[in-house]
């Protein structure tokens, strides 16, 4: 008797979820050897396996569908060790977006745990920092535009606009050479291994050899000091804990290629 | 017993007399003295006493009041980081990153030996993480490694202020140059244990250089230009974060008779400041914000990431202009502020303009003595023809000899001669007449034709005309004679037919 | 209805009620897990004895937690020193009630054998010391709730931060210390005593 009621409900929910989540296309990136702007202790180049990346960040509508399907991630249910008090605080209620959270805007005020759980529910994962850096090195025509001062200036220009304006919708920018949008100029994005960016809280200590802090190695330093775009992403991610949320931090998912 | 009392009395008298031997200056004032405040080693006055104190933070250009304490305390500071758009020049906006919502950031005032519990709060709508390095902190990064704060978070660290002085604080998040260039700096004053000497007014001024993609005063919203920052080529160099922040209605104020103190910082990020107040001399400069002061300084260097304290006494009312004396910065990039002093005029110290007279350059030297003498004699009613000739000669040299030559021979075909002139011999009144009214049209002098224009020298006074004319009449074989001041006045009134229209 | 079936119905109802009651009594820890407990994050740990359990099974005993890996030469030996130092600072009755949990960030290599080898070498009492590895895809999340940052290097070594985390019996973080080694922060030790005194 109960089953007869439950099944159509479940189907309805699933359908909504599929509709909402079905938005973001997946873009395939070939990977390969990549020179990071960070100076890693152990290797000059990073090897990236082929992978797929969502074309744009996850939106409010998509995340709402996830929360409805997984109520333990509602802001009134979530464990406080998995999301800080501001989690989804811009939504009108735990399951209603409201005016301040338009469906097509990238979802923000999400913790790393929530973002990871969302991606897992899609059979995916968060991108690694290297995958993100590699995809974001491109501009509209070149796969690696990082040596172009104009590329850097455009990114710096985003940093210099104040954050109190409404977020644009996801997916409006011209795709880059890989076909991926919105890697710059929209929101900061979580990566799976954001906590591997071991930098000193005082970013001036390049090459400082405080071996106790990171167990045998100094902090990460920048190989390419002119690359402020990367530098500031690293600074941002290294200032966060997994439970944190901010008003301009969102995410997109990645997945391995079979 | 009586003798004993007498001894004591005498001794006391002697001691009192000794005390009146004049003021003993404070040890720090003796130039070159061996006095040494001991630095951080002697800066720890023990654990904090009494209840924790909430620090009073002020926005520029105001300074918190003196702590007025004589014991070390625990002081709690809560400083916000706010990213906000403000005007850098009229019609030009810029996104500043600020401590406390202002550029420079809030002024913090503590006493040497205080334990400061520092909370750094980064507003939730900030885009960037930020931290703080206070130059008054002894410890890694000046606090920067312990205050790295994500948007919407607060961090806390504690330090003891071991050294007295005026210190810069600034954000040290990478890229550090950009954070500083966006306005993330301010000052913290660590008072010496005895406090700063009292003054009537204290103000907070901080210089900074700014780098925008557009040109100086280009209107609209301007972004930060990293390349200009690296090239150390600022668009704006301003006090307190904007052109005009301390001018007009926002000018600093004081009254004559007051002692004014400026706490001046230089946030940089790049430029060193040559700080000067036009019209004032700094009675005291605690150069580089340290313990010793210099006296009677016109312009003091403030390093990038440094500060200085200066005291001066205001005597004369008016507007005193604070500038970076690398002067193109003041007049072409905005490094200009005003201190307006009100009060009674002091003509004994500064008179204002007293004379504005003609200055005839290198023609006017010793000869003017003759002119002076003639004026004196004329006043005394004792003017002789010789006096007039001497005076006229001196005046001729400055005014007439340029064209007619010192020898009176003029220039053939251009300027008629005055020497042995038949034109003058025909009518001596010609001389003052031509001097006053000029001459236009053809004339014949000494057999030669001239058709030039002599402009009227009507700016000469009557006695000058009289003296010059008398000199000409009595020189170079001319008939002689005299022209008086009264005659010159009469001739001035009547314009002849051949008067010149002037230049 | 016949009398016998009525009786049967009553009996089954009674038995049902009894079972329910028994169930209720037999599970005293069914009080909901607090929302600020780290055990809200599912994590399956395999320890030096080869036993695999969700770390929620540690609920009920305060824990001193740190992350390490067995081949770590630099700081990780000092982490074990810290654990021992805390133990020594406690009176015997409190020592018996504290669990020390070292979680590996290198599950690929830190299998029960490797973990047991370290436990034996350092003479760690199995009654209180648990050295365990999570599932490989859980390491980042476990580090996230504990506030540990790490990166694996090409040669298998790790760069990582180190912290001692004190959990109360419900798994809530009540104290942290970054002071590692045989000199433990006295304020941290005081917190341990306070939690164990309850």
């Amino acid at each position: 008797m109960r089953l007869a009621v439950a099944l159509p409900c479940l189907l309805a929910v699933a359908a909504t979820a599929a509709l909402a989540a079905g938005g973001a296309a997946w873009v395939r990136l070939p990977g390969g050897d990549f020179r990071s702007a960070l100076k890693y202790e152990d290797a000059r180049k990073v090897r990236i396996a082929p992978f797929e990346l969502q074309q744009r960040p996850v939106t409010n509508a998509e995340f709402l569908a996830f929360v409805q399907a997984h109520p333990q991630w509602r802001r009134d249910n979530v464990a406080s060790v998995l999301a800080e008090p501001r989690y989804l605080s811009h939504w009108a209620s735990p399951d209603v977006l409201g005016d301040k959270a338009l469906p097509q805007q990238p979802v923000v005020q999400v913790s790393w745990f929530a973002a990871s759980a969302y991606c897992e529910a899609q059979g995916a994962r968060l991108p690694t920092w290297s995958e993100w850096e590699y995809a974001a090195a491109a501009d509209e025509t070149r796969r690696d535009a990082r040596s172009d001062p104009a590329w850097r200036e455009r990114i710096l220009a985003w940093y210099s606009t104040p954050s109190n304006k409404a977020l644009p919708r996801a997916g409006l920018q011209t795709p880059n050479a890989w076909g991926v949008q919105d890697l710059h100029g929209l929101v900061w994005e979580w990566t799976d291994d954001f906590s591997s960016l071991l930098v000193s809280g005082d970013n001036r200590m390049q090459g400082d050899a405080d071996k106790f802090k990171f167990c045998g190695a100094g902090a990460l330093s920048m190989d390419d000091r002119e690359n402020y775009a990367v530098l500031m992403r690293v600074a941002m991610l290294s200032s966060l804990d997994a439970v944190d949320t901010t008003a301009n931090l969102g995410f997109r998912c990645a997945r391995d290629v079979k | 017993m009586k003798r004993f009392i007498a001894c004591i009395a005498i001794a006391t008298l002697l001691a009192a007399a000794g005390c009146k031997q004049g003021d003993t200056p404070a040890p720090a004032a003796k130039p070159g003295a061996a006095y040494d405040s001991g630095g951080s080693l002697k800066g720890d006055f023990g654990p904090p006493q009494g209840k924790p104190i909430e620090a009073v933070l002020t926005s520029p250009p105001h300074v918190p009041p003196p702590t007025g304490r004589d014991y070390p305390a625990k002081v709690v500071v809560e400083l916000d980081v706010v990213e906000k758009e403000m005007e850098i020049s009229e019609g030009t906006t810029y996104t500043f990153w600020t401590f406390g919502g202002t550029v420079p950031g809030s002024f913090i005032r503590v006493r040497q030996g205080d334990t400061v519990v520092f909370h750094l709060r980064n507003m939730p709508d900030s885009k960037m993480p930020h931290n703080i390095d206070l130059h008054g902190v002894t410890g890694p990064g000046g606090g920067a490694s312990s205050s790295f704060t994500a948007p919407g978070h607060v961090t806390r660290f504690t330090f003891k202020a071991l050294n007295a002085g005026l210190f810069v604080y600034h954000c040290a998040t990478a890229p550090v140059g950009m954070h500083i260039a966006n306005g993330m700096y301010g000052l913290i004053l660590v008072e010496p244990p005895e406090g700063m000497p009292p003054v009537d007014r204290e103000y907070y001024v901080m210089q900074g250089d700014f780098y925008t993609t557009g040109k100086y005063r280009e209107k609209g919203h301007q972004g930060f230009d990293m390349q200009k920052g690296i090239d150390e080529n600022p668009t704006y160099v301003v006090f307190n974060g904007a052109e005009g922040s301390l001018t007009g209605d926002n000018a600093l104020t004081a009254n004559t008779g007051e002692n004014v103190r400026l706490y001046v910082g230089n946030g940089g990020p790049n430029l060193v400041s040559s700080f000067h107040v036009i019209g004032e001399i700094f009675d005291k400069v605690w150069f580089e914000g340290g313990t010793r002061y210099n006296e009677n300084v016109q312009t003091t260097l403030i390093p990038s990431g440094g500060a200085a304290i200066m005291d001066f006494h205001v005597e004369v009312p008016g507007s005193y202009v604070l500038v970076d004396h690398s002067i193109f910065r003041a007049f072409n990039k905005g490094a200009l502020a005003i201190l307006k002093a009100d009060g009674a005029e002091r003509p004994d110290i500064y008179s204002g303009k007293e004379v504005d007279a003609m200055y005839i350059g290198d023609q006017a030297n010793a000869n003017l003595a003759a002119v002076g003498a003639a004026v004196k004699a004329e006043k005394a009613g004792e003017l002789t023809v010789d006096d007039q000739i001497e005076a006229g000669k001196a005046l001729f040299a400055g005014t007439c000899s340029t064209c007619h030559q010192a020898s009176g021979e003029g220039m053939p075909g251009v300027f008629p001669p005055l020497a042995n002139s038949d034109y003058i011999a025909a009518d001596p009144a010609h001389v003052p007449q031509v001097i006053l009214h000029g001459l236009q049209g053809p004339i014949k002098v000494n057999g030669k034709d001239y058709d030039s224009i002599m402009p009227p020298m009507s700016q000469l006074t009557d006695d000058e005309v009289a003296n010059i004319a008398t000199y000409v009449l009595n020189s170079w074989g001319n008939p002689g004679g005299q022209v008086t001041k009264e005659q010159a006045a009469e001739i001035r009134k009547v314009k002849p037919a051949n008067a010149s229209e002037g230049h | 209805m016949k009398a016998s079936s009525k009786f049967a119905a009553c009996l089954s109802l009674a038995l049902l009620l009894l079972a329910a009651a028994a169930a209720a009594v037999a599970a005293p820890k069914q009080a909901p897990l607090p929302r600020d407990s780290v055990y809200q994050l599912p994590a399956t740990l395999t320890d030096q004895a080869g036993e695999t359990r969700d770390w929620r099974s540690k609920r009920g005993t305060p824990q001193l937690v740190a992350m390490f890996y067995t081949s770590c030469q630099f700081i990780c030996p000092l982490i074990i020193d810290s654990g021992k130092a805390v133990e020594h600072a406690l009176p015997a009755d409190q020592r018996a009630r504290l669990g020390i949990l070292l979680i590996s960030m290198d599950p690929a290599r830190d299998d029960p054998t490797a973990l047991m080898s370290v436990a034996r070498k350092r003479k760690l009492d199995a009654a209180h010391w648990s050295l365990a590895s999570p599932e490989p895809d859980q390491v980042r999340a476990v580090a996230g709730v504990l506030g540990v940052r790490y990166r694996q290097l090409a040669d298998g070594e790790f760069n990582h931060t180190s912290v001692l985390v004190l959990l109360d019996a419900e798994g809530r973080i009540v104290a942290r210390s970054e002071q590692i080694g045989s000199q433990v922060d006295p304020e941290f030790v005081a917190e341990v005593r306070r939690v164990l005194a309850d």
Side-chain angles (χ1 to χ4, degrees):
Chain A
M1 171 70 165
R2 246 177 263 148
L3 206 59
V5 175
L7 199 53
C9 273
L10 275 168
L11 279 172
V13 171
T16 327
L19 252 171
W26 290 89
V27 176
R28 192 184 198 283
L29 288 94
D33 282 339
F34 177 69
R35 186 185 53 77
S36 171
L38 291 173
K39 191 197 272 173
Y40 291 111
E41 308 83 337
D42 48 349
R44 286 237 60 208
K45 281 191 191 264
V46 176
R47 164 140 288 201
I48 297 172
F51 68 106
E52 287 185 339
L53 189 64
Q54 285 192 301
Q55 190 177 36
R56 51 151 180 77
V58 173
T59 62
N60 280 316
E62 290 161 351
F63 203 79
L64 175 62
F66 163 74
V67 162
Q68 284 166 336
H70 302 86
Q72 70 270 34
W73 287 104
R74 284 167 58 108
R75 75 181 189 208
D76 53 353
N77 273 345
V78 72
S80 59
V81 293
L82 300 179
E84 56 143 281
R86 271 183 311 221
Y87 174 61
L88 297 178
S89 55
H90 61 310
W91 287 8
S93 86
D95 54 4
V96 173
L97 293 182
D99 310 329
K100 297 217 174 69
L102 300 177
Q104 298 313 313
Q105 286 175 325
V107 69
V108 290
Q109 304 283 180
V110 285
S111 68
W112 178 86
F113 294 107
S116 297
Y118 173 96
C119 290
E120 234 175 285
Q122 320 302 317
R125 55 173 174 77
L126 286 170
T128 64
W129 162 258
S130 296
E131 288 171 341
W132 203 96
E133 198 192 346
Y134 160 80
D139 68 3
E140 289 82 356
T141 53
R142 289 167 293 185
R143 290 179 166 179
D144 188 347
R146 292 176 298 169
S147 51
D148 183 356
W151 177 84
R152 274 182 244 140
E153 285 297 325
R154 264 171 56 186
I155 294 169
L156 279 179
W158 177 59
Y159 298 146
S160 72
T161 55
S163 213
N164 49 8
K165 305 211 163 58
L167 278 176
R169 288 171 33 206
L172 286 179
Q173 290 179 10
T174 310
N176 70 11
W178 298 116
V180 183
Q181 296 167 299
D182 298 338
L183 288 165
H184 298 289
L186 188 53
V187 287
W188 301 111
E189 293 185 16
W190 283 113
T191 61
D192 182 58
D193 54 355
F194 80 97
S195 70
S196 73
L197 295 168
L198 296 170
V199 290
S200 164
D202 180 350
N203 303 138
R204 297 165 297 179
M205 291 186 172
Q206 304 278 304
D208 175 50
D210 182 355
K211 297 220 182 296
F212 269 86
K213 186 139 187 141
F214 299 130
C215 187
L220 267 184
S221 55
M222 285 292 289
D223 201 21
D224 178 7
R225 295 243 180 132
E226 306 223 310
N227 213 317
Y228 319 106
V230 172
L231 223 166
M232 290 160 96
R233 291 242 165 218
V234 173
M236 181 59 181
L237 289 174
S238 67
S239 74
L240 296 166
D241 287 321
V243 73
D244 292 341
T245 76
T246 84
N248 42 39
L249 172 66
F251 71 102
R252 74 182 71 203
C253 302
R255 60 188 184 201
D256 297 335
V257 163
K258 308 277 183 289
Chain B
M1 190 53 179
K2 263 201 207 145
R3 209 184 281 169
F4 178 67
I5 294 172
C7 272
I8 300 291
I10 292 167
T12 317
L13 268 167
L14 283 171
C19 281
K20 281 193 195 136
Q21 287 308 313
D23 292 333
T24 317
K30 282 214 187 85
Y35 176 75
D36 172 348
S37 69
S40 56
L41 198 54
K42 300 238 176 88
D44 190 344
F45 303 143
Q49 301 166 26
K51 295 215 300 254
I53 297 171
E54 278 290 324
V56 172
L57 304 182
T58 54
S59 295
H62 302 292
V63 178
T67 63
R69 268 184 288 116
D70 59 358
Y71 61 89
K74 180 179 269 193
V75 180
V76 178
V77 174
E78 292 184 330
L79 191 57
D80 291 339
V81 174
V82 185
E83 298 176 4
K84 68 199 267 200
E85 196 174 313
M86 299 191 280
E87 276 204 337
I88 191 170
S89 179
E90 198 173 311
T92 310
T93 56
Y94 186 84
T95 302
F96 293 92
W97 297 342
T98 74
F99 286 107
T102 56
V103 176
S106 310
F107 194 105
I108 307 171
R109 186 168 190 154
V110 299
R111 178 181 179 268
Q112 184 180 7
D114 280 348
T115 296
V116 181
V117 182
F118 200 100
H119 300 85
L120 188 67
R121 315 195 292 212
N122 193 356
M123 290 286 113
D125 60 0
S126 288
K127 204 168 260 172
M128 310 296 303
H130 297 284
N131 62 8
I132 191 167
D133 167 3
L134 299 111
H135 287 185
V137 170
T138 304
S145 45
S146 316
S147 59
F148 195 34
T149 314
H153 283 77
V154 54
T155 56
R156 186 192 80 196
F157 69 99
T158 302
F159 68 93
K160 191 173 270 192
L162 297 176
N163 294 70
L166 180 63
F167 300 103
V168 169
Y169 66 75
H170 63 86
C171 180
T173 302
V176 183
M178 181 177 180
H179 284 250
I180 296 178
N182 282 347
M184 298 199 78
Y185 43 77
L187 290 180
I188 173 169
L189 173 67
V190 182
E191 294 174 338
E194 70 276 8
M196 295 293 293
V199 289
D200 299 298
R201 284 188 203 253
E202 295 184 314
Y203 284 115
Y204 170 28
V205 176
M206 195 152 187
Q207 182 173 328
D209 20 296
F210 290 88
Y211 302 82
T212 61
T213 46
K215 294 209 212 4
Y216 174 65
R217 289 193 178 166
E218 193 173 309
K219 306 285 177 242
H221 185 77
Q222 292 296 326
F224 169 68
D225 189 328
M226 178 64 99
Q227 195 54 50
K228 283 189 189 165
I230 293 171
D231 294 341
E232 301 191 28
N233 177 17
T235 327
Y236 294 89
V237 182
V238 294
F239 296 114
N240 292 11
E243 200 172 3
S245 65
L246 297 173
T247 64
D249 292 337
N250 299 323
L252 305 177
T253 57
N255 293 316
T256 56
E258 286 181 341
N259 277 309
V260 176
R261 173 172 298 144
L262 300 180
Y263 295 98
V264 185
N266 182 5
N270 287 321
L271 304 188
V272 174
S273 176
S274 305
F275 188 74
H276 175 82
V277 177
I278 302 179
E280 263 296 348
I281 299 113
F282 303 133
D283 297 327
K284 286 197 181 88
V285 178
W286 283 264
F287 43 91
E288 296 173 350
T291 304
R292 301 223 190 295
Y293 57 80
N294 199 353
E295 297 181 87
N296 304 322
V297 173
Q298 66 195 284
T299 301
T300 190
L301 277 176
I302 310 184
S304 174
I309 307 174
M310 49 219 69
D311 282 5
F312 53 92
H313 184 259
V314 182
E315 280 85 16
V316 176
S319 289
Y320 294 93
V321 187
L322 287 62
V323 295
D324 179 341
H325 217 290
S326 286
I327 212 70
F328 276 98
R329 298 175 196 173
F331 299 119
N332 296 74
K333 296 194 176 171
L336 194 149
I338 308 260
L339 169 73
K340 189 152 184 328
D342 287 324
E345 297 286 343
R346 288 289 304 273
D348 58 320
I349 294 180
Y350 185 80
S351 67
K353 190 187 279 192
E354 283 164 328
V355 173
D356 185 354
M358 244 181 59
Y359 178 64
I360 50 184
D362 60 1
Q363 311 278 0
N365 32 41
N367 293 347
L368 283 181
V371 175
V375 169
K376 257 208 196 131
E378 210 252 334
K379 279 220 170 87
E382 289 159 2
L383 189 67
T384 63
V385 173
D386 282 319
D387 289 331
Q388 282 191 282
I389 292 171
E390 283 305 306
K393 183 173 179 191
L395 291 162
F396 182 91
T399 311
C400 319
S401 62
T402 320
C403 300
H404 293 287
Q405 308 304 324
S407 55
E409 65 191 29
M411 196 175 288
V414 186
F415 306 124
L418 302 174
N420 223 337
S421 161
D422 56 2
Y423 184 80
I424 290 176
D427 182 0
H430 278 155
V431 179
Q433 193 178 64
V434 173
I435 291 175
L436 279 165
H437 297 289
L439 195 150
Q440 188 169 320
I443 59 168
K444 206 182 187 93
V445 182
N446 292 357
K448 300 257 168 49
D449 289 308
Y450 293 88
D451 192 355
S452 296
I453 300 177
M454 169 161 159
M457 295 291 147
S458 53
Q459 80 279 9
L460 293 170
T461 59
D462 291 0
D463 54 277
E464 283 170 338
V465 173
N467 293 343
I468 293 174
T470 306
Y471 167 69
V472 168
L473 287 172
N474 288 284
S475 302
W476 321 302
N478 283 326
Q482 187 196 20
V483 176
T484 65
K485 194 167 103 174
E486 290 74 22
Q487 286 169 318
E490 285 301 313
I491 290 172
R492 192 190 287 271
K493 290 178 191 157
V494 182
K495 210 175 185 182
N498 62 356
S500 157
E501 302 305 300
H503 284 109
Chain C
M1 209 192 242
K2 279 164 83 176
S4 54
S5 36
K6 222 193 249 177
F7 176 71
C10 274
L11 191 58
S12 28
L13 189 59
L15 279 169
L16 220 71
L17 286 168
L18 208 62
V25 167
K29 284 206 194 106
Q30 282 320 304
L33 191 64
R35 283 169 65 171
D36 52 346
S37 167
V38 302
Y39 303 136
Q40 290 279 1
L41 175 78
T44 318
L45 300 181
T46 304
D47 68 11
Q48 71 265 40
E51 299 210 20
T52 300
R53 273 191 290 250
D54 188 292
W55 67 339
R56 194 175 298 199
S57 60
K58 301 279 180 195
R59 186 182 179 193
T61 308
Q63 302 285 327
L64 177 63
V65 186
M67 289 191 80
F68 85 122
Y69 61 106
T70 60
S71 47
C72 165
Q73 301 304 324
F74 200 68
I75 270 255
C76 307
L78 298 177
I79 294 179
I80 294 179
D81 288 345
S82 294
K84 289 188 171 181
V86 170
E87 277 194 316
H88 287 145
L90 300 173
D93 63 313
Q94 288 199 332
R95 203 178 301 157
R97 285 188 275 116
L98 177 71
I100 302 181
L101 174 60
L102 302 185
I103 301 178
S104 170
M105 59 184 80
D106 189 10
R109 289 188 301 183
D110 288 346
D111 59 5
T113 315
L115 296 169
M116 181 57 88
S117 157
V118 169
R120 284 219 184 93
K121 207 189 313 176
R122 300 299 305 265
K123 300 186 175 48
L124 305 176
D125 178 1
H128 305 121
W129 288 76
S130 182
L131 279 61
S133 284
E135 296 298 302
D137 58 359
Q138 290 174 335
V139 180
R140 192 64 70 178
V142 169
V145 291
L146 295 174
V148 171
R149 305 176 97 94
Y150 69 91
R151 182 172 64 259
Q152 183 158 31
L153 305 177
D155 60 357
E157 295 294 302
F158 287 81
N159 280 355
H160 62 98
T161 59
S162 298
V163 62
L164 303 173
V165 180
L166 175 64
L167 303 179
D168 67 7
E170 292 288 88
R172 289 176 285 221
I173 297 178
V174 291
R176 304 167 60 88
S177 173
E178 291 181 9
Q179 199 172 318
I180 309 295
S182 44
Q183 303 280 353
V184 187
D185 180 3
E187 281 188 25
F188 185 76
V189 175
E191 281 297 297
V192 176
R193 288 212 196 99
R194 189 187 60 78
V195 162
L196 290 172
D198 293 337

